[in-house]
Amino acid sequence: MKVHVLQDLEAVSIFAANMFVDFSEHYIAAKGRFVVAVSGGSTPARLYALLGSDRYADKIDWRFVYFFWADERFVPHDHHNSNFRLLHENLLSKIQIPHENIHPVSTNESSPHISAEKYEDEIKSFFHLSNGELPEFDLILLGIGEDGHTASIFPGNAVLEEKEHLIAAVESKTHMHPRITLTLPVINNARNVIFLASGKNKASVVKKVLEEKDPYLPAVMVNPSRGKMFFLIDRDAGMYLGKGPK
Ligand code: 6PG
């Protein structure tokens, strides 16, 4: 695991954008494609905007980049809380990427469970998985909630125990809408995981995750068995690291 503490969110976003470019070049050269699962929330918005900007968009061969979602809220894709909308508004609407390379969670189903089932089928088909096989994303971009959740895997939630399914529906009273999420076995099968965290409000959870390794926290349960993990945090989010217990 590599931890990079950078000046601020802009520096974190630039560092992440450079990693994205490097990974895309590597995997497209090695395998002919670069398959990514992205998160929502506020932290990655600047990264997505950078990737769609003149500064980065032409450095990536979007013809061979494939987007999936690490999690999604069970809302229409034009809803202000949609993770699809977040990526579309900041990046997908700015680049020439084949429509078939974009794999959003279908949220106009009759229930989050149906959405989850359909997404699982779509992932199995894309990766040509036989039963019991896990997909291997080249990169999964994750955030960390103040409660230690990541994707839509919340502390104490039954989804933590999900070992069979690739995708789960999460009905969470405290977290706005029902969610659809990658499960931990899928996340831990990724070639690369990048966590992004920014701001003083994440300092406590970053310390719990990186130093105390609080086993109750879903973000601590992310540990790719054969992959690499990177934490890109800004100084505010890292301000308790290396100091006494908080
Ligand atoms: C989501 C995200 C979620 C997010 C964390 C951090 O759908 O909300 O996938 O896991 O990464 O809640 O969110 P912020 O970046 O807004 O702090």
Side-chain angles (χ1 to χ4, degrees):
M1 178 208 322
K2 292 253 320 158
V3 181
H4 297 275
V5 183
L6 299 141
Q7 179 63 28
D8 52 23
L9 178 57
E10 182 68 9
V12 165
S13 306
I14 291 169
F15 196 99
N18 291 332
M19 287 184 75
F20 190 100
V21 170
D22 293 348
F23 280 141
S24 71
E25 286 169 356
H26 172 79
Y27 288 106
I28 290 171
K31 312 183 333 182
R33 70 184 193 183
F34 177 48
V35 187
V36 185
V38 296
S39 282
S42 56
T43 306
R46 180 60 183 145
L47 164 60
Y48 302 155
L50 279 173
L51 291 174
S53 71
D54 295 345
R55 187 168 162 187
Y56 284 93
D58 296 342
K59 296 182 179 194
I60 297 159
D61 192 342
W62 298 107
R63 295 175 298 168
F64 305 110
V65 177
Y66 298 79
F67 281 110
F68 288 80
W69 272 256
D71 69 328
E72 183 57 283
R73 291 83 179 275
F74 190 63
V75 294
H77 285 164
D78 59 359
H79 189 284
H80 64 278
N81 283 338
S82 163
N83 290 345
F84 172 81
R85 184 201 55 76
L86 179 74
L87 193 76
H88 184 265
E89 207 164 78
N90 288 287
L91 174 55
L92 301 180
S93 59
K94 307 278 195 322
I95 57 175
Q96 297 297 320
I97 184 168
H99 177 74
E100 60 272 16
N101 290 24
I102 313 297
H103 296 264
V105 177
S106 163
T107 55
N108 58 1
E109 305 298 335
S110 54
S111 77
H113 296 277
I114 300 294
S115 286
E117 282 173 10
K118 286 201 164 189
Y119 207 46
E120 178 153 326
D121 290 344
E122 183 162 349
I123 288 177
K124 282 180 175 175
S125 162
F126 179 86
F127 285 96
H128 303 300
L129 300 179
S130 47
N131 268 344
E133 238 188 322
L134 291 170
E136 199 171 32
F137 285 94
D138 299 314
L139 173 61
I140 299 181
L141 279 172
L142 295 174
I144 306 180
E146 292 182 47
D147 62 355
H149 81 261
T150 192
S152 287
I153 304 172
F154 297 100
N157 192 287
V159 69
L160 286 161
E161 310 309 321
E162 180 56 61
K163 299 284 183 268
E164 184 202 330
H165 286 289
L166 309 179
I167 303 290
V170 178
E171 306 276 355
S172 166
K173 297 160 197 58
T174 51
H175 291 273
M176 286 189 288
H177 317 283
R179 309 283 191 100
I180 293 94
T181 187
L182 292 182
T183 56
L184 274 172
V186 173
I187 294 172
N188 283 331
N189 200 51
R191 287 194 171 89
N192 299 280
V193 170
I194 296 178
F195 277 102
L196 301 181
S198 165
K200 288 187 169 62
N201 64 315
K202 297 294 175 74
S204 174
V205 71
V206 162
K207 183 170 181 67
K208 284 180 185 155
V209 169
L210 288 182
E211 286 185 353
E212 298 163 15
K213 300 193 188 309
D214 179 343
Y216 180 70
L217 302 184
V220 174
M221 300 172 193
V222 174
N223 186 15
S225 46
R226 288 167 301 141
K228 297 193 184 90
M229 189 154 69
F230 306 85
F231 281 80
L232 309 185
I233 64 176
D234 65 9
R235 290 175 63 179
D236 282 345
M239 67 185 190
Y240 293 152
L241 293 180
K243 298 184 169 65
K246 282 293 155 215

